[in-house]
Amino acid sequence: MTIRIHPHAQERMRERGATEEEVLETVKKGERFPAKFGRTGFRHNFPFGKRWRGKVYRTKQIEAFCAREEDEWVVITVLVKYF
């Protein structure tokens, strides 16, 4: 199955500090959960240990919200949580 990242999701990734590699790994290996509008969410925690907007965080959590289209996942948007 292929994974395609929608331009809207690419923009959110840039704003929120997620990389394409992190998002792809989240969809491939992350925890799957139901989301609004029939979408599927994927969640994965990454070790971080870096500074984001003036504060150091140990963990970065990526949530990728996807739509299924034929034989691919389309990443619609991405949320990033730091803790």
Side-chain angles (χ1 to χ4, degrees), residues 2-83:
T2 60
I3 302 167
R4 181 169 49 95
I5 302 176
H6 189 276
H8 170 82
Q10 291 173 346
E11 182 62 30
R12 299 296 82 76
M13 289 163 54
R14 281 190 291 276
E15 290 174 357
R16 298 170 180 162
T19 67
E20 183 173 334
E21 293 78 21
E22 290 169 334
V23 171
L24 294 175
E25 184 173 342
T26 297
V27 175
K28 290 176 186 174
K29 299 179 181 178
E31 168 194 0
R32 183 186 292 201
F33 60 93
K36 291 181 180 180
F37 310 114
R39 307 282 197 246
T40 301
F42 296 89
R43 180 182 301 121
H44 191 67
N45 291 344
F46 295 89
F48 191 59
K50 297 178 187 171
R51 185 174 304 276
W52 174 254
R53 297 191 176 170
K55 187 174 177 186
V56 175
Y57 296 94
R58 293 174 52 143
T59 304
K60 180 197 290 192
Q61 182 179 82
I62 306 289
E63 290 186 346
F65 293 89
C66 303
R68 183 78 178 263
E69 290 187 2
E70 296 182 17
D71 202 26
E72 71 177 357
W73 285 111
V74 180
V75 180
I76 303 299
T77 196
V78 174
L79 298 179
V80 182
K81 299 172 184 175
Y82 296 88
F83 50 92

